[in-house]
Amino acid sequence: MLSLEKDIKDFAVNAGASLVGIAGRERLIGPPSIDPNYVLRGAKSVMALALPMNVPAIYDFLDKTSSGPHNIDQARMNQRMHRISKELADYIVSLGYKAVAVPPNNTYRRALDPFSTRPSFSHRFAAVLAGLGTFGLSGNVITKEYGAAVYLGSVVTNAVLKSDPVLPARYAMDNRCRTCKLCDKTCTLSMFRDDEEEHLLLNGELHARGKRNNLDFCNLSCFGLHSISKDKKWSNWGRHWINDYIDSQPDPDKRQEVRAVLMRQGSMAGDSTPRFEVIRRIGKNLWPRHYIEDYLPDYDNLSKNEDEIFKLLVKYEENVGVVGLKDPYVLTCGQCALVCGPDFEETKKRYDLLTSSGYVVPGLNGNMVNVKTLDEALEMKAKYPPRVTRQQKMKDARDSGAVWMKSYFGFEPIEEFKNWLYQLKNKKACAQAGLAGKEASAPILVYPRYLKAFLSKPNKKKP
Ligand code: B12
């Protein structure tokens, strides 16, 4: 007889999912963002899904041929994942249960610190508990099949489903990360450490990942605000370099200062609000097929002509309601996941593409140009500085503040309390395992002085 689990999994695979796993209610014990009740009251199980990122598009992104194909892949595949999740949820509903598709991204909860970006439901935690993979050094979930270069999704349901086997908690850390560590070298700001671990208690087991230095480092690099590598030998696709951080890395413990730099640098860019809006709209909303999925070609059918790619990006962004973005290439970073392939050989290949292909910097008309030496890159940056007027900066800062405060500022006391309890449990479990002080640290709720620092410390240093 066909089991419910098999039936649902077959549906997901036929709908297009590459990896599918189930985590039953007994497994879903951990930080608040693994609680499926937050998105569906009475939920008992989660289906975790994964789709691979397009590998040739990753090569083009890393070796600085073009960031267009990967930008297109992200837009298409976030939508594809959302659609598969929605179809799967509808199917489970048709069987007489309740089910909800969790959007792939940007469903942040409200918090006193609106930049905490805690998701309504964590796809990573679900993927680990459903046996799709385990945490790697970068904190990304590493699958055996595709490494970390995957899009994750989840469907929560009140159907009682039998869990799939999980991998040993340290599977990726012990078998891959310990001897690889290349993801750490691809981060322009050392978001995580390669020599120290932190642990998360999930379903009674401690799961290790690289200790996080400061999540705002990730926000700075991921939003294209600091794009030159620590050794100054290459850059990613971001347009901006923080002069103070080129020769020496910031102190991760000076959180207020780092936050101030993030806010200042974000507003100096002049287009942070519409850029984030594009990312948010493709991550959170499911659009009609012809807006993105059917409109944007897959890699094999995509023109190599950059003008064509540019036009496609502008048009799909218009389709989702974001107009007038001069630079429609919104994704500039993510190397920690992109380099991580199914094995070390592939990861090293991708890492070499990234590190041997020099810099991309804005040139004439703002188009990104690939140059080979640091001197050339600095020369270009001096010759073609960003042309952002004071009014544009002020408007962007105002708009950005409004979006973040309106959408993500707030206080959810029950969830904060659950987190407090979870942190105590995690701490205790670490202490019992001889890992005292090695727990994943609780997020700092609010940075009360960051506004003051933002107003008082301009980034004056010249490169
Ligand atoms: C916020 C977010 C970001 C932020 C912050 C990144 C980060 N490291 O957290 C930014 C924009 C910088 C970002 C960057 C990237 N992201 Co991202 N992002 C997310 C998102 C929405 C949530 C991530 C998350 O779990 N954050 C925070 C918490 C929950 O996790 P935590 O810190 O481990 O939890 C601790 C505390 O916060 C606390 N806690 C947990 N839950 C809760 C809840 C409450 C209420 C409280 C008070 C506390 C609390 O307990 C823990 C222990 O202390 C997910 C989508 C999703 N819905 O899951 C995608 C996601 C994680 N991102 C993804 C990817 C691919 C990326 C990038 C590679 C960029 C890219 N090209 O897409 C980089 C990778 C950076 C990295 N090394 O992590 C993928 C991951 C794929 C994978 N293989 O793991 C996801 C799953 C999107 C997707 N659908 O595929 N991301």
Side-chain angles (χ1 to χ4, degrees):
M1 199 183 71
L2 195 67
S3 72
L4 179 58
E5 288 80 4
K6 175 149 182 4
D7 185 18
I8 294 176
K9 278 190 188 174
D10 285 352
F11 184 93
V13 171
N14 289 333
S18 302
L19 303 177
V20 189
I22 296 176
R25 186 70 190 103
E26 79 292 349
R27 286 263 180 88
L28 303 172
I29 301 168
S33 52
I34 191 58
D35 180 3
N37 282 284
Y38 190 84
V39 281
L40 175 69
R41 198 179 280 265
K44 297 205 166 52
S45 315
V46 176
M47 314 273 307
L49 312 167
L51 286 172
M53 293 182 183
N54 181 281
V55 175
I58 292 179
Y59 294 159
D60 287 356
F61 188 93
L62 295 175
D63 75 5
K64 283 121 195 161
T65 301
S66 168
S67 72
H70 178 64
N71 266 272
I72 286 178
D73 188 56
Q74 283 262 356
R76 291 182 75 238
M77 287 303 158
N78 270 289
Q79 287 295 297
R80 172 76 48 87
M81 176 54 86
H82 204 153
R83 201 169 309 281
I84 294 170
S85 307
K86 175 77 173 52
E87 285 172 4
L88 179 60
D90 290 347
Y91 179 65
I92 298 173
V93 169
S94 77
L95 300 176
Y97 303 97
K98 288 184 186 164
V100 170
V102 181
N105 220 324
N106 308 93
T107 55
Y108 308 144
R109 298 175 186 221
R110 290 185 182 274
L112 289 177
D113 174 8
F115 294 101
S116 327
T117 60
R118 295 184 208 111
S120 55
F121 185 79
S122 166
H123 297 305
R124 280 182 180 151
F125 297 164
V128 167
L129 292 173
L132 297 194
T134 53
F135 295 118
L137 189 69
S138 64
N140 286 300
V141 170
I142 300 187
T143 62
K144 284 185 188 169
E145 296 81 354
Y146 311 108
V150 288
Y151 304 101
L152 298 176
S154 315
V155 173
V156 301
T157 171
N158 69 348
V160 177
L161 300 174
K162 195 165 162 281
S163 301
D164 282 318
V166 284
L167 290 161
R170 295 189 55 91
Y171 190 81
M173 287 297 276
D174 285 347
N175 293 299
R176 295 195 47 174
C177 305
R178 200 205 298 248
T179 49
C180 173
K181 301 187 177 185
L182 291 179
C183 59
D184 168 61
K185 298 189 176 63
T186 71
C187 182
T188 62
L189 274 172
S190 290
M191 196 274 266
F192 48 92
R193 302 183 60 134
D194 70 350
D195 59 351
E196 203 178 330
E197 292 179 357
E198 63 179 33
H199 299 83
L200 288 151
L201 188 65
L202 285 176
N203 188 26
E205 262 193 298
L206 286 171
H207 291 251
R209 65 185 180 195
K211 183 174 168 54
R212 291 177 173 193
N213 277 325
N214 185 327
L215 207 54
D216 278 341
F217 287 179
C218 192
N219 288 319
L220 275 163
S221 47
C222 247
F223 290 107
L225 302 175
H226 186 66
S227 316
I228 179 163
S229 67
K230 287 170 268 190
D231 61 7
K232 300 194 274 183
K233 293 196 170 145
W234 52 268
S235 80
N236 68 17
W237 287 92
R239 288 179 169 259
H240 308 279
W241 299 1
I242 297 168
N243 299 335
D244 287 341
Y245 294 176
I246 296 177
D247 290 312
S248 59
Q249 290 275 302
D251 180 346
D253 294 328
K254 295 200 167 152
R255 290 178 186 273
Q256 324 236 15
E257 273 182 42
V258 174
R259 174 60 67 86
V261 170
L262 169 68
M263 293 181 68
R264 195 164 46 239
Q265 194 75 6
S267 66
M268 301 245 286
D271 64 356
S272 295
T273 318
R275 291 173 81 79
F276 176 62
E277 204 49 42
V278 172
I279 295 174
R280 192 158 83 129
R281 288 180 187 211
I282 57 176
K284 189 166 160 281
N285 303 346
L286 181 60
W287 299 91
R289 270 179 193 277
H290 64 281
Y291 278 31
I292 299 180
E293 266 173 284
D294 291 350
Y295 177 71
L296 295 172
D298 63 16
Y299 186 85
D300 294 336
N301 294 302
L302 182 63
S303 163
K304 296 270 174 245
N305 180 317
E306 204 56 43
D307 291 341
E308 293 292 319
I309 294 176
F310 184 95
K311 280 187 205 146
L312 282 170
L313 291 170
V314 169
K315 182 70 178 76
Y316 103 75
E317 290 171 3
E318 278 175 17
N319 287 347
V320 301
V322 182
V323 286
L325 201 49
K326 280 197 201 127
D327 171 13
Y329 301 76
V330 292
L331 291 157
T332 56
C333 183
Q335 296 93 233
C336 60
L338 302 196
V339 293
C340 184
D343 54 34
F344 179 72
E345 202 186 324
E346 174 63 19
T347 304
K348 177 78 170 63
K349 174 180 165 179
R350 294 184 195 177
Y351 174 78
D352 288 343
L353 292 178
L354 172 72
T355 55
S356 63
S357 51
Y359 312 78
V360 261
V361 282
L364 186 67
N365 302 326
N367 293 344
M368 296 302 270
V369 182
N370 184 199
V371 294
K372 295 294 170 214
T373 68
L374 180 61
D375 284 344
E376 283 174 281
L378 288 169
E379 210 174 289
M380 292 285 281
K381 283 186 86 66
K383 197 166 166 194
Y384 303 110
R387 303 218 177 278
V388 189
T389 64
R390 202 180 152 78
Q391 281 90 336
Q392 280 169 324
K393 285 180 196 166
M394 302 269 285
K395 180 175 181 324
D396 197 32
R398 224 178 24 239
D399 291 352
S400 206
V403 167
W404 285 88
M405 292 306 277
K406 202 172 133 210
S407 309
Y408 307 120
F409 176 75
F411 185 53
E412 301 185 13
I414 296 174
E415 298 300 311
E416 295 293 346
F417 179 66
K418 284 187 193 161
N419 179 49
W420 180 76
L421 283 180
Y422 168 75
Q423 301 295 340
L424 286 180
K425 272 195 211 159
N426 196 17
K427 208 172 172 166
K428 194 168 156 205
C430 285
Q432 280 170 351
L435 296 166
K438 303 278 180 198
E439 60 275 0
S441 57
I444 292 176
L445 284 183
V446 72
Y447 303 101
R449 293 199 310 269
Y450 71 75
L451 273 176
K452 193 174 153 209
F454 172 56
L455 295 170
S456 66
K457 228 178 145 261
N459 177 23
K460 277 187 191 140
K461 198 172 155 190
K462 290 267 180 297

